[in-house]
Amino acid sequence: MDANQNNDPTKKTYHKKATGKALETVEKHSQDHELKLFGSCFCPFVQRVWISLEMKGLGYQYIEVDPYKKPQQLLEVNPRGLVPALRHGDWGCYESTVLMEYLEDLQKGEALLPSDPKLRAHSRLWSDHINRHIVPGFYRYLQAQDEKSQIKHGEELKEQISKLVDTADKSGPFFLGDKMTFVDVQMAPWVVRLRKVLQPYRGWPEPEAGTRWTSWVEAIEQNHAVRATTSTDDLYIDSYERYFENRPNTSQVQQAINSGRGLP
Ligand SMILES: N[C@@H](CCC(=O)N[C@@H](CS)C(=O)NCC(=O)O)C(=O)O
């Protein structure tokens, strides 16, 4: 049993192995490689880096780790013991946004940041918006236990997403136009989890037909790298029940939200 189950085996907990298309991708990348991604199948921060690797078509090894048990091979790369962590030869680093930038700087495969300096800054600014406002808003809404705060946090999340959608290229379907780039990848794991987690647990609405938001969501959901790194629905339902119930011992993210601190 895991600590978040509080001695109750009927409580669902996080999965330790990918399923569906994500499992196929794990299996394709199980061979030893100098570039190693330490990840956990349910983790949206991991999925960002994983999508980037897949979009760039880089060779890599995926290593599934339990970030709550913090195995030594993870701590060697990330002393904070969080996933994602990346090892490249004898060097290692962590933090999903930093790792996405590192992969960009390798200049191999498809570039996710545009070449124009102003568009690069624009992309970084809106990635910051996602990290500062949308990601914490997602957890605040999911963890909220009383109806009043659920309504409040649901509205706040919608408002922060609307700011991003209003800034996106008008014809899209992606943030900068017809190509999926850095900001889309930063946002993609939470787009996936709006439908797979917030919809069943908090009644998050289906995107309205014909809107700019809908065309973006559909384009992200259909992207080959997003699909290749997404597991079956049950994995998300099970893995997020602990957040939905705001159970003790869930994670550092959950504790940060409860105590009003910034996310780890
Ligand atoms: N800011 C980090 C957040 C990573 C993170 O919170 N990962 C979670 C899994 S989704 C984790 O490793 N949790 C371990 C813990 O809570 O002890 C990033 O962007 O990489």
Side-chain angles (χ1 to χ4, degrees):
M1 229 181 313
D2 295 321
N4 77 76
Q5 290 171 289
N6 298 324
N7 295 319
D8 180 351
T10 65
K11 294 286 181 196
K12 299 268 197 298
T13 185
Y14 57 97
H15 284 216
K16 280 91 180 166
K17 191 178 175 192
T19 59
K21 290 222 177 303
L23 179 60
E24 288 171 27
T25 308
V26 168
E27 284 165 353
K28 273 190 221 149
H29 292 274
S30 58
Q31 302 290 319
D32 186 44
H33 196 284
E34 58 159 3
L35 186 59
K36 297 183 194 325
L37 172 64
F38 294 94
S40 307
C41 54
F42 58 85
C43 175
F45 302 96
V46 168
Q47 196 179 5
R48 285 174 161 173
V49 181
W50 203 6
I51 292 170
S52 307
L53 286 165
E54 284 291 315
M55 284 188 71
K56 289 174 178 295
L58 299 179
Y60 67 92
Q61 180 185 2
Y62 178 93
I63 302 172
E64 180 77 26
V65 292
D66 184 336
Y68 308 110
K69 306 238 162 90
K70 308 198 187 301
Q72 192 54 33
Q73 56 175 354
L74 173 63
L75 289 170
E76 276 166 15
V77 183
N78 182 359
R80 296 183 198 162
L82 300 173
V83 288
L86 199 71
R87 187 180 261 287
H88 201 177
D90 55 11
W91 175 88
C93 197
Y94 47 93
E95 276 301 317
S96 58
T97 304
V98 174
L99 296 181
M100 279 182 61
E101 297 236 11
Y102 174 69
L103 295 177
E104 277 309 285
D105 290 343
L106 293 178
Q107 298 190 335
K108 288 198 186 122
E110 196 178 324
L112 296 177
L113 277 170
S115 53
D116 173 55
K118 295 190 177 73
L119 275 181
R120 289 169 82 86
H122 179 67
S123 299
R124 290 190 171 109
L125 178 67
W126 287 95
S127 293
D128 183 65
H129 174 81
I130 295 169
N131 286 323
R132 208 186 280 268
H133 300 293
I134 297 179
V135 171
F138 173 94
Y139 292 99
R140 263 184 230 121
Y141 185 30
L142 182 58
Q143 287 174 224
Q145 297 298 300
D146 65 275
E147 204 185 328
K148 209 172 131 214
S149 57
Q150 283 165 12
I151 292 170
K152 176 172 163 252
H153 293 307
E155 289 306 321
E156 277 171 9
L157 180 58
K158 280 181 197 150
E159 202 183 300
Q160 297 301 344
I161 291 177
S162 294
K163 287 186 193 166
L164 186 64
V165 177
D166 292 347
T167 311
D169 180 79
K170 293 294 163 255
S171 30
F174 292 108
F175 183 72
L176 292 181
D178 58 4
K179 238 178 103 239
M180 172 130 157
T181 63
F182 201 89
V183 173
D184 306 292
V185 179
Q186 285 262 306
M187 183 66 187
W190 283 275
V191 167
V192 167
R193 285 158 184 75
L194 288 176
R195 200 196 288 279
K196 294 191 190 294
V197 177
L198 277 192
Q199 191 177 90
Y201 280 135
R202 289 276 173 256
W204 183 262
E206 272 292 306
E208 256 174 72
T211 59
R212 177 68 184 84
W213 170 236
T214 301
S215 61
W216 195 3
V217 168
E218 283 173 358
I220 286 178
E221 287 177 337
Q222 281 159 22
N223 173 270
H224 70 92
V226 172
R227 292 170 62 109
T229 56
T230 299
S231 285
T232 51
D233 291 0
D234 57 314
L235 180 141
Y236 300 99
I237 288 286
D238 295 351
S239 300
Y240 283 87
E241 191 190 75
R242 58 205 167 112
Y243 286 96
F244 164 64
E245 294 182 352
N246 199 15
R247 264 185 242 143
N249 304 316
T250 283
S251 71
Q252 291 184 35
V253 166
Q254 182 239 7
Q255 283 163 11
I257 292 291
N258 287 336
S259 61
R261 276 185 280 118
L263 294 192

